[in-house]
Amino acid sequence: MTSRGHLAHIRAVNDRFRYLKSVESLFELDQWSALPAEGGAYRRQAAAYVAQEKAALFRTEESRAAAEFFRGVSLDELGDPIERALVRTFLFRHRNLTRVPEALAREYSLARGETMQKWREAREKKDYQVFAPYLERAFTLKKKIALAIEPDAPAFDTLVGLTDEGAVRAEIDDAFETLRAGTQDLLARIRKSAVHPDRAILREQDPEKMMAFARRLARESGFDERRGGFDDRVVHAFTSFLGPRDARVSTYRSGSVDLIFTCLHEAGHAMYAAGGSEAVNAANLWGGAEGGFHEGMARFNENMIGRGRSYWSCYYPQLQAEFPDFRGVAAEDFYLALNAVAPGTRRTTADEVSYSLHVILRYELERAWFSGGLAAKDLADAWNERSERLLGVRPENDAEGVLQDMHWAGDYIGYFQSYALGNLYAGQLWETLRRAVPALDDDLARGDFAALGAWLDENVRQYGCVYTAGELAERISGKRLDAAPFLRYLEDKYAAMYRV
């Protein structure tokens, strides 16, 4: 078969793969929001079937021949970026799905539903040991899968590469050491500051009104409900990518101001996922670079835009008009409260400075388990000890600590590094953007997102998953992964805010 013939087959496989991924995303959305307790057994069987069908696309003789052909071709020889991406993602998936025995893949798929159920039960009881045996099983199966894919590589390195395609664990380790040192230095200075923001002024409001306000701000930041929608039925917020113009934002119900940033964060994911060009969408390369860069787009919208002075010079008067409790609160006090640095136990509500330390904690725990240095039964104690060492806080119970979110139960194993990588990519994006759009602060102060959105569309969103995260970061900033821009961002913002 000619290269054109192989490429036509790869296009057809990619289309079918994305259709099945959309079905899996629907299953995931339903499982976390509406699946009844007694519906779980059948859903696990259906999910396992879909997973088998997805893998079967790559087990045909035509797929084997296409993989063999293009493994002998340098991707640089493919001049068209979309064709290069189709081949790259096909080879990546072919490796990951054909090397794992079908029985092992099915065993893991069937175990996932029970693992999630036991996490929920353990969280309600605040007792990690209810969950520990199921997490041990999940980690063990995931290690077998990783070793089947790359027998000669450390399992954790392979899992990190599955989440962040093209990522090298040694480079992440180095970047995280720089990030840890810079963050802890800034935290130490902040702890000595005479500035003490008052978070108590951020009083709870009516949940219905806060939800409406938060959703409006997400829409005004660029989230187009013709390409998605909102619901508020979950414990842990997330965004589901169901199609090239279909990204659903799921949040919890709350009257807290923090809900605004949850909606901005998930809108960042959704705008990126649904922002592919027509050519990218036609090739079913929509959705964005998964893992760290996706988190970067969400963290960027939530924090660098949504927690900025310019943003709130526009929106604070509107918040005051909607919620009378804030009418007596000075704008500067409100800004300080929103950005207060106060390390706590929860990653999802952590301030910008301490957030990455939560991620490094989890990343190091995973790395320790996969290297044989930690058993699942000991994860809760190890979590508490590292939390105290890194953040200066110790969880009061397992629900505050190791059980605080569903990631390990939901197959996000080898994923946590992506959250801190998101901060680093967002830092690289921020420095480049501020040079490219010098009037950004003035625009945000007017609530004008046109130039910002246009720049993001042109330089990031239109490409979908045509490029890996490292490739896209390098196109934007000149470097694949660099902790320095994010640390400069933190220093510029928080050293001034805390006068240190």
Side-chain angles (χ1 to χ4, degrees):
M1 187 182 291
T2 66
S3 63
R4 290 288 102 189
H6 287 309
L7 191 58
H9 175 74
I10 286 173
R11 284 182 181 273
V13 167
N14 184 64
D15 287 347
R16 294 166 191 159
F17 180 85
R18 294 311 297 261
Y19 301 150
L20 292 169
K21 285 280 286 182
S22 292
V23 171
E24 288 182 324
S25 293
L26 281 166
F27 281 174
E28 188 174 49
L29 173 60
D30 184 60
Q31 177 174 314
W32 292 352
S33 60
L35 182 67
E38 294 188 11
Y42 177 78
R43 175 59 52 79
R44 288 193 291 274
Q45 294 171 6
Y49 173 78
V50 171
Q52 283 181 312
E53 289 297 297
K54 193 172 61 173
L57 294 170
F58 297 89
R59 297 184 186 276
T60 66
E61 178 58 29
E62 293 90 341
S63 289
R64 185 204 61 76
E68 183 176 334
F69 178 87
F70 279 109
R71 285 200 178 99
V73 176
S74 170
L75 291 181
D76 293 336
E77 295 178 27
L78 300 172
D80 182 277
I82 286 181
E83 290 185 355
R84 189 163 57 245
L86 283 167
V87 172
R88 189 199 82 239
T89 55
F90 173 81
L91 292 177
F92 181 68
R93 292 165 183 158
H94 186 273
R95 182 203 70 159
N96 299 339
L97 292 170
T98 61
R99 295 184 182 182
V100 179
E102 291 185 59
L104 176 58
R106 179 172 176 79
E107 182 182 5
Y108 183 72
S109 182
L110 288 171
R112 283 176 58 187
E114 188 176 23
T115 304
M116 176 68 76
Q117 180 184 341
K118 288 298 179 179
W119 168 76
R120 286 176 169 153
E121 180 184 336
R123 193 173 188 276
E124 288 173 2
K125 295 179 178 178
K126 300 180 181 179
D127 182 2
Y128 170 71
Q129 293 308 319
V130 171
F131 180 54
Y134 299 90
L135 183 59
E136 181 76 29
R137 179 181 66 179
F139 276 12
T140 300
L141 290 172
K142 203 69 171 180
K143 184 173 184 177
K144 289 180 180 179
I145 288 170
L147 291 174
I149 292 170
E150 291 289 356
D152 298 325
F156 188 59
D157 292 31
T158 299
L159 293 178
V160 166
L162 291 179
T163 298
D164 288 280
E165 184 186 354
V168 177
R169 203 202 82 190
E171 293 178 356
I172 295 173
D173 288 350
D174 289 345
F176 281 7
E177 283 303 311
T178 301
L179 180 59
R180 180 209 301 266
T183 299
Q184 290 192 310
D185 174 72
L186 180 57
L187 269 177
R189 285 182 283 138
I190 287 173
R191 286 187 174 111
K192 297 176 182 177
S193 171
V195 177
H196 300 291
D198 182 10
R199 284 276 300 177
I201 66 176
L202 304 178
R203 290 183 287 275
E204 287 277 326
Q205 304 297 315
D206 176 76
E208 290 293 334
K209 291 181 66 177
M210 185 57 72
M211 178 63 76
F213 189 79
R215 290 179 177 182
R216 176 168 72 81
L217 266 57
R219 287 192 294 269
E220 292 185 13
S221 77
F223 178 61
D224 186 344
E225 286 192 89
R226 294 174 301 177
R227 297 182 177 183
F230 296 100
D231 74 67
D232 58 358
R233 295 176 293 170
V234 298
V235 173
H236 183 86
F238 62 93
T239 299
S240 304
F241 314 141
L242 306 180
R245 293 288 187 263
D246 186 356
R248 315 282 182 88
V249 170
S250 298
T251 66
Y252 47 84
R253 294 181 59 80
S254 172
S256 170
V257 170
D258 290 333
L259 185 63
I260 293 169
F261 303 104
T262 297
C263 286
L264 289 175
H265 179 98
E266 300 305 332
H269 278 303
M271 289 186 286
Y272 182 32
S277 69
E278 292 302 321
V280 162
N281 292 343
N284 264 320
L285 290 169
W286 51 271
E290 294 182 3
F293 206 92
H294 233 296
E295 291 303 327
M297 293 298 289
R299 300 285 293 170
F300 175 87
N301 202 53
E302 173 192 358
N303 293 323
M304 293 173 173
I305 300 302
R307 292 186 190 271
R309 284 186 185 275
S310 299
Y311 184 89
W312 284 103
S313 68
C314 172
Y315 284 107
Y316 188 51
Q318 297 180 34
L319 182 80
Q320 289 177 306
E322 191 71 26
F323 301 99
D325 280 354
F326 294 105
R327 291 175 188 170
V329 177
E332 180 66 11
D333 291 338
F334 179 77
Y335 173 78
L336 292 174
L338 285 185
N339 290 284
V341 176
T345 58
R346 288 189 61 80
R347 175 186 60 84
T348 54
T349 56
D351 58 82
E352 281 189 277
V353 178
S354 65
Y355 180 93
S356 295
L357 297 177
H358 287 268
V359 179
I360 290 171
L361 182 157
R362 298 154 193 255
Y363 174 79
E364 290 180 347
L365 289 177
E366 284 186 322
R367 190 176 64 188
W369 188 93
F370 280 94
S371 68
L374 186 65
K377 66 182 177 61
D378 300 320
L379 270 170
D381 290 339
W383 180 296
N384 295 342
E385 290 165 8
R386 287 177 191 247
S387 177
E388 195 161 30
R389 186 165 69 248
L390 283 170
L391 293 155
V393 293
R394 191 177 186 91
E396 291 187 5
N397 55 62
D398 290 342
E400 283 189 1
V402 70
L403 295 173
Q404 66 183 255
D405 59 43
M406 51 70 210
H407 283 66
W408 283 334
D411 193 27
Y412 291 86
I413 298 169
Y415 187 94
F416 278 120
Q417 73 282 347
S418 294
Y419 291 114
L421 290 177
N423 280 337
L424 304 191
Y425 290 135
Q428 293 172 250
L429 185 68
W430 178 249
E431 280 199 342
T432 306
L433 172 64
R434 291 193 68 81
R435 291 193 297 269
V437 186
L440 179 63
D441 285 330
D442 292 337
D443 290 347
L444 294 176
R446 295 192 306 272
D448 182 354
F449 296 87
L452 169 64
W455 191 90
L456 291 172
D457 284 342
E458 180 181 354
N459 292 279
V460 184
R461 294 170 182 157
Q462 69 156 318
Y463 295 116
C465 55
V466 166
Y467 301 108
T468 66
E471 290 170 342
L472 193 53
E474 190 167 20
R475 286 175 63 90
I476 293 167
S477 70
K479 292 190 177 181
R480 290 176 61 86
L481 180 62
D482 187 3
F486 180 65
L487 289 173
R488 285 193 289 269
Y489 160 77
L490 291 182
E491 185 71 24
D492 289 347
K493 178 174 179 177
Y494 289 93
M497 178 176 151
Y498 277 91
R499 301 172 197 162
V500 294

